[in-house]
């Protein structure tokens, strides 16, 4: 029997072509003016979100946390950080979102807890070999005195993936003892997903939020849960090198899909079934689509467009590949250019063509001063890329602030940086704070209307991007998003498209089954409309207002109504 809950009306397919807006709660809006964004802040901006035209909000973690990793170090998966509000505030936020016809997706962080989680505290206080330790990965070290970590595995934020504890119980109390595994910061111990209590506890967590009316879940590092911990541990000196055939000791192991089949059964207890989208950074192979199949989580992120240069042939190839992948899994495709983990896309596109990930990191480390970024070009391309993407079949994932055309804040004062990457790499990699700076709502208000003194300082140029400056101004990035999201509802139909012929090196041109067309000029020179395209049908341009009979400006997308 399915459970009727206060979720939005029972359209089981609402997610397939939804526009989902990611809120990083600590940086969105600060109702109690303590400098950290909060849930009442989200509720207070529901009118803004509704006017923007989104279908759902994805909330990054809002759980109790010491913020060692911006909230992805969760103390209690079934509560609200008191600095961000209460469960009652959460319920009020869900009710207000649903009243505005907006669904709520919450972030679930199953790979690890925080080191303050009651289970981890219990594990630390218990002796090696105890039941409490078995919920995590505790092992003896190597060498006669156990002083070497159990394996050479690095952690994602720099440094090793093992931390040694001082025993609190047993014959070695007071002495250095076992090591525990953390693929991320030491404050994020990895759960042992072979343990039945861990599996059962996450079913409880899913039901806890689904019962409160949550419509879906974003699943953090979904590909990492199940690990091969058989001894001796295998060597893996670089995390990024993923042997993607199921044999990697840490990632994308076949058994992870048993976990998600169990989750799917829980999610399907509800009417409509709760959705889930996997964050699984695995390469494009048939393996990736398993996360998205209906017997699993149901949808998976692909980060291909996010990682691609602004090049027609690349965008087109990615779309073809991802639509085929989606068709193969039964899910709809996902599209994303920005999120809380990456440099905002107008800045990425502003850097010299051919810049690599290492170049981007070096640019951040140089406070965004070298190489010189062409910001006007970056924003022009970002707007074109967004319109290209919003016309596609599938779910569009947007990150707060991109509708304001925000750039990365590359020159945050070093003393303000909080990302564990900055500390764990001994200041060699700056990390992700630059895309997490609290939003500018009002150009002239204190702290740009965010609330109290923001936990990351806002640069003076945020005034130019504030909501008050763009609201109602035709052609502003905010109005472009609003108009596009409104049109998008008309444009969505069957999840397919047809490519129309276009010079492959500069232009893409596709048509949706209901006749809408999307034309993008990726080149840096204007180009004529393709033969047979009626200039009078252009209803939206990512660049200057469309003038009938004109060429498509450089780095611009047009939407053509049937
Ligand atoms: C999240 C990150 C987080 C990491 C560890 C991710 O992939 O998106 O922000 O640091 O998981 O939880």
């Amino acid at each position: 029997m399915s459970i009727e809950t206060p979720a939005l009306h029972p359209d089981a397919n609402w997610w397939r072509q939804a526009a989902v807006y990611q809120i990083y709660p600590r940086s969105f809006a600060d109702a109690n003016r303590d400098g950290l964004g909060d849930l009442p802040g989200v509720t207070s901006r529901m009118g803004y979100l509704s006017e923007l035209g989104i279908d759902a909000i994805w909330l990054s973690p809002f759980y109790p946390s010491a913020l060692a990793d911006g909230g992805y170090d969760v103390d209690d998966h079934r509560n609200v950080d008191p600095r961000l509000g209460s469960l009652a505030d959460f319920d009020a936020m869900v009710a207000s979102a649903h009243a505005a016809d907006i669904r709520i997706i919450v972030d679930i962080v199953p790979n690890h807890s925080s080191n303050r989680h009651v289970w981890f505290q219990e594990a630390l206080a218990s002796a090696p070999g105890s039941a409490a330790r078995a919920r995590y990965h505790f092992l003896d070290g190597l060498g006669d005195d156990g002083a070497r970590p159990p394996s050479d595995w690095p952690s994602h934020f720099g440094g090793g993936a093992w931390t040694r504890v001082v025993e609190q119980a047993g014959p070695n109390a007071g002495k250095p003892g076992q090591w525990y595994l953390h693929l991320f910061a030491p404050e994020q111990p990895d759960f042992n997903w072979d343990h039945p209590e861990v599996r059962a506890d996450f079913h409880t967590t899913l039901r806890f939020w689904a019962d409160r009316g949550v419509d879906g879940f974003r699943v953090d590092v979904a590909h990492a849960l199940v690990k091969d911990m058989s001894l001796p541990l295998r060597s893996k000196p670089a995390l990024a090198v993923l042997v993607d055939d199921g044999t990697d000791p840490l990632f994308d192991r076949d058994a992870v899909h048993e976990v998600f089949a169990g989750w799917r059964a829980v999610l399907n207890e509800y009417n409509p079934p709760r959705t889930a989208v996997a964050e699984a950074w695995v390469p494009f192979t048939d393996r990736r689509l398993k996360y998205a199949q209906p017997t699993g989580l149901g949808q998976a992120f692909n980060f291909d467009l996010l990682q691609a240069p602004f090049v027609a042939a690349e965008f087109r190839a990615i779309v073809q590949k991802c639509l085929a992948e989606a068709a193969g899994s039964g899910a709809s495709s996902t599209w994303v250019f920005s999120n809380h983990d990456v440099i905002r896309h107008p800045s990425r596109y502003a850097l010299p063509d051919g810049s690599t990930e290492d170049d981007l990191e070096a640019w951040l480390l140089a406070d965004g001063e070298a190489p010189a970024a062409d910001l006007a070009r970056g924003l022009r391309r970002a707007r074109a890329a967004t319109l290209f993407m919003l016309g596609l079949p599938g779910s569009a994932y947007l990150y707060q602030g991109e509708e304001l055309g925000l750039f990365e804040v590359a020159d945050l004062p070093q003393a303000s940086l909080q990302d564990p990457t900055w500390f764990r790499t001994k200041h060699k990699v700056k990390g992700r704070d630059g895309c997490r700076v609290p939003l500018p709502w009002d150009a002239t208000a204190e702290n740009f209307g965010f609330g109290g003194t923001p936990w990351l300082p806002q640069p003076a140029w945020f005034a130019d991007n504030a909501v008050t400056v763009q609201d109602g101004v035709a052609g502003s990035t905010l109005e472009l998003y609003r108009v596009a999201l409104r049109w998008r509802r008309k444009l969505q139909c069957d999840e397919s498209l047809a490519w129309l012929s276009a010079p492959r090196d500069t232009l893409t041109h596709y048509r949706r089954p209901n006749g809408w067309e999307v034309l993008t000029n990726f080149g840096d020179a204007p180009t004529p409309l393709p033969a047979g395209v009626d200039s009078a049908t252009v209803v939206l341009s990512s660049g200057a207002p469309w003038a009938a009979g004109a060429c498509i400006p450089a780095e611009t997308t047009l939407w053509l109504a049937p």
Side-chain angles (χ1 to χ4, degrees), residues 69 72 109 112 157 184 188 218 220-221 279 281 340-341 432 436:
D69 179 23
Y72 284 89
V109 189
H112 41 265
F157 299 144
F184 294 89
Q188 294 167 292
R218 178 262 188 192
D220 194 60
V221 276
E279 186 218 21
W281 288 84
H340 67 298
D341 287 332
R432 304 158 293 175
R436 299 174 176 181

Side-chain angles (χ1 to χ4, degrees), residues 385-405:
T386 295
L387 271 203
F388 170 93
M389 179 273 255
L390 287 177
L392 295 171
S395 310
Y397 285 83
L398 309 170
Y399 177 52
Q400 66 178 38
E402 69 171 81
E403 79 280 17
L404 303 177

Side-chain angles (χ1 to χ4, degrees), residues 429-459:
V429 182
K430 212 162 179 186
R432 304 158 293 175
D433 292 315
C435 66
R436 299 174 176 181
V437 177
L439 291 192
W441 293 94
D442 184 337
T444 56
E446 194 187 3
N447 305 320
F448 300 123
F450 166 69
T453 306
W455 64 281
L456 285 172
Q458 298 159 305

